[in-house]
Amino acid sequence: MKSRRRSVSCARLYWGVATLVWTLAGPTQGGAHELSQPVPVLLERMHDTILLINRGKPDQAYTKAVAIQQDFPDSSRGRLIQEVGLLPTAQRLDAAYRTSLADETIRALERKDIPHLQKAVYSIAFLLILEKLDRLELLMQDAGTRVETRAAVLAVAHDYFTHMFERLLRFRAPEQIKALDRLLDRMAVAVKRGDAAALGTLRAQFLNGLVEGFQDQLVVGKLKPILDLPRGGGS
């Protein structure tokens, strides 16, 4: 009995030390980025829509997109919640960034234009990431903001990138995905150091790399002008 208890204790100690080592090693040591928390339900449905397109199931993808175009009920996380839909989200982002992705999405749905629907969904995901990075920039300008708060906002942006780009495109464009993932990791280091200048440079490299590297997946004509606009458009 004592021997068994000793084995269990040793095992617990081993895993405790292993977890500590992994934590200190940082995100780049473990390969692909792991989500820091569950992504919003809408982002899950957006991911599923594109996944169905990638699998050659356009009819199912269209049905999935129609089901989330307006606010929709969801109980997948244990309780019934009315989730904000694709079009209201696009309209909010359009107002912030002077884009017209809601119209792009509506036209794609009306025409059942699956390739353009895919671009519209990816582009909405891009703006959701940009929105978080704009929020982070505002926090970096506020000396009273805790480092943990800033890091949490960047972690959400990284989660969105992982869910909508890395998981869907890592086999199609592995080098681009790795490069962008590394930039996000370097941004996390800059946040911890409080280095706003380095963060700004890395942010620009990341956003330009995302637009330039995935022109076939994005409505580039709507997104590229945003990169030249004054920052802080999102919330």
Side-chain angles (χ1 to χ4, degrees), residues 3-181:
S3 176
R4 182 179 178 183
R5 288 178 180 172
R6 187 178 298 110
S7 297
V8 171
S9 298
C10 289
R12 287 176 178 171
L13 178 61
Y14 170 81
W15 286 114
V17 172
T19 301
L20 178 61
V21 169
W22 182 88
T23 302
L24 294 175
T28 58
Q29 300 298 318
H33 173 73
E34 295 296 332
L35 299 185
S36 62
Q37 58 187 321
V39 299
V41 172
L42 176 62
L43 214 67
E44 289 183 350
R45 301 295 188 271
M46 290 165 61
H47 171 278
D48 293 346
T49 298
I50 292 178
L51 188 61
L52 288 167
I53 295 173
N54 291 346
R55 291 178 174 175
K57 299 178 179 180
D59 292 340
Q60 292 182 34
Y62 177 78
T63 300
K64 176 75 71 173
V66 168
I68 63 170
Q69 65 176 324
Q70 299 295 343
D71 294 355
F72 59 96
D74 177 77
S75 58
S76 63
R77 298 186 179 179
R79 58 192 180 117
L80 184 63
I81 295 178
Q82 193 76 357
E83 301 287 347
V84 178
L86 194 62
L87 293 180
T89 298
Q91 289 164 353
R92 174 176 62 78
L93 294 167
D94 285 342
Y97 293 105
R98 308 176 200 175
T99 51
S100 57
L101 291 182
D103 289 341
E104 298 285 340
T105 305
I106 290 171
R107 281 197 293 270
L109 290 172
E110 287 178 344
R111 299 172 184 174
K112 293 190 176 182
D113 185 341
I114 302 303
H116 199 72
L117 174 63
Q118 182 179 36
K119 288 188 175 186
V121 171
Y122 266 126
S123 297
I124 291 169
F126 173 90
L127 288 187
L128 288 171
I129 295 170
L130 176 59
E131 185 178 47
K132 294 303 177 186
L133 294 181
D134 279 348
R135 175 61 179 162
L136 173 61
E137 185 169 58
L138 291 175
L139 293 175
M140 292 294 289
Q141 295 170 7
D142 182 358
T145 304
R146 298 174 59 195
V147 173
E148 292 81 3
T149 301
R150 297 169 178 168
V153 173
L154 179 59
V156 172
H158 202 155
D159 287 351
Y160 287 10
F161 169 76
T162 294
H163 197 66
M164 291 301 299
F165 288 91
E166 183 176 356
R167 289 183 172 178
L168 291 165
L169 295 167
R170 61 184 173 184
F171 297 116
R172 300 186 180 195
E175 294 308 314
Q176 292 95 318
I177 290 294
K178 287 179 183 177
L180 291 168
D181 199 50

Side-chain angles (χ1 to χ4, degrees), residues 221-234:
K222 303 295 180 181
L223 301 181
K224 204 169 180 60
I226 298 173
L227 304 182
D228 298 323
L229 290 175
R231 296 181 189 173

